[in-house]
Amino acid sequence: AQSVTQPDIHITVSEGASLELRCNYSYGATPYLFWYVQSPGQGLQLLLKYFSGDTLVQGIKGFEAEFKRSQSSFNLRKPSVHWSDAAEYFCAVGRNAGNNRKLIWGLGTSLAVNP
Amino acid sequence: SQTIHQWPATLVQPVGSPLSLECTVEGTSNPNLYWYRQAAGRGLQLLFYSVGIGQISSEVPQNLSASRPQDRQFILSSKKLLLSDSGFYLCACTPKGRGGTGELFFGEGSRLTVL
C-alpha cells in the first residue's frame, strides 16, 4: 500500500542548531515528493519539491531535501534553525495524475525551537 | 500569484446546525480546487475536489457537501453538523496546467468547533 511515514512526531532543537526531519515513503511508481510547512493556525506553504533530476533540491527559507531512492526517503534539512522555523512540517508523495487528489500525506512533524 | 481567502476564520456551531464555509481564489482562472480537513494527529484528509464550475468529486463519504457556483468560489456545506465535523478546514488550489505537480496553494483555514 502507498504510504508516507514521518517517524518523528515532535522535535525540539536549539536556535542555530542543524535540523533533519525524516520522511519515508512506500510508493509503486517514481514519486513526486514534497515538503510543506504550516505555522500555527495557518494554511500550508510549499517548501520544496522533487520531480526528477538532481536528488538534492533547494527550497525556500534555507531548506533543502535529498531524495534517496534506495532508502525510499526524502529528508528535509536546514543547517541552522531560526526561531521562526517553529511549525508543523508535512511530507507528501504523489504522481502526475492530472490533478493533486492522489497526494498521500504524512502525519506531520512538529518542530519547536529553543532560544 | 494566487491568493486564497477563506471565511469565517473561526466558527462555533451547535450540533444539528447548518454550515457554510466559503473559499475564493484570486490571481488565477479555472483552477483545480480542494477542501481538506485537518484533525489533530491525523494529517490532511482530502474531502472534495473540483476541476471546474459545478464539477465536484467527493473523496470520502461524510456529512458534508461542496459546491462550486463560480470559477473561483468553492463552498463547503452541511445541513446538520455532527460533533465529528469539528476540525480545521483548508481550501487549496492548483492553477490549471500544474494540476499534476502536487503544488498546492492553501488558504488560511477555518476552524470549526461543533458543541
Side-chain angles (χ1 to χ4, degrees):
Chain A
Q2 300 168 346
S3 64
V4 176
T5 302
Q6 294 181 243
D8 305 304
I9 297 173
H10 186 86
I11 286 182
T12 300
V13 300
S14 298
E15 190 168 18
S18 63
L19 171 70
E20 182 170 35
L21 302 182
R22 296 182 290 165
C23 174
N24 297 102
Y25 65 90
S26 174
Y27 205 75
T30 301
Y32 288 16
L33 297 156
F34 312 88
W35 275 100
Y36 283 83
V37 60
Q38 183 181 30
S39 296
Q42 303 292 311
L44 282 74
Q45 181 184 23
L46 180 68
L47 279 176
L48 46 79
K49 60 190 177 186
Y50 171 79
F51 292 164
S52 63
D54 192 347
T55 56
L56 183 64
V57 294
Q58 302 297 321
I60 62 172
K61 304 185 180 186
F63 285 92
E64 67 178 26
E66 185 172 13
F67 170 55
K68 293 185 177 180
R69 185 186 300 275
S70 62
Q71 299 178 21
S72 297
S73 68
F74 189 57
N75 295 347
L76 182 70
R77 300 194 295 250
K78 187 170 185 178
S80 178
V81 171
H82 188 261
W83 64 266
S84 61
D85 293 324
E88 190 91 16
Y89 291 80
F90 293 92
C91 181
V93 176
R95 63 180 297 179
N96 189 342
N99 63 56
N100 296 321
R101 71 185 188 275
K102 297 301 184 184
L103 279 180
I104 302 168
W105 294 85
L107 296 183
T109 297
S110 177
L111 174 66
V113 180
N114 288 331
Chain B
S1 65
Q2 48 281 316
T3 303
I4 302 176
H5 301 284
Q6 286 187 243
W7 70 89
T10 305
L11 194 61
V12 180
Q13 292 285 96
V15 169
S17 64
L19 171 73
S20 180
L21 299 180
E22 191 161 341
C23 167
T24 59
V25 179
E26 295 179 355
T28 187
S29 297
N30 194 26
N32 291 336
L33 295 174
Y34 308 83
W35 277 112
Y36 281 90
R37 177 167 56 204
Q38 186 177 27
R42 298 187 63 184
L44 275 76
Q45 180 186 35
L46 179 62
L47 302 176
F48 301 95
Y49 76 93
S50 171
V51 298
I53 296 173
Q55 301 178 63
I56 309 294
S57 295
S58 174
E59 290 295 301
V60 293
Q62 58 202 311
N63 183 45
L64 303 169
S65 62
S67 61
R68 185 171 177 174
Q70 300 181 43
D71 179 46
R72 289 176 288 179
Q73 184 184 29
F74 205 24
I75 298 171
L76 185 68
S77 304
S78 174
K79 293 182 179 178
K80 290 185 178 181
L81 283 168
L82 306 172
L83 287 174
S84 57
D85 292 324
S86 293
F88 192 54
Y89 290 84
L90 290 159
C91 180
C93 86
T94 299
K96 278 293 192 304
R98 296 159 72 178
T101 65
E103 190 166 353
L104 290 160
F105 297 88
F106 286 85
E108 297 291 311
S110 296
R111 183 162 301 282
L112 170 66
T113 303
V114 183
L115 301 175

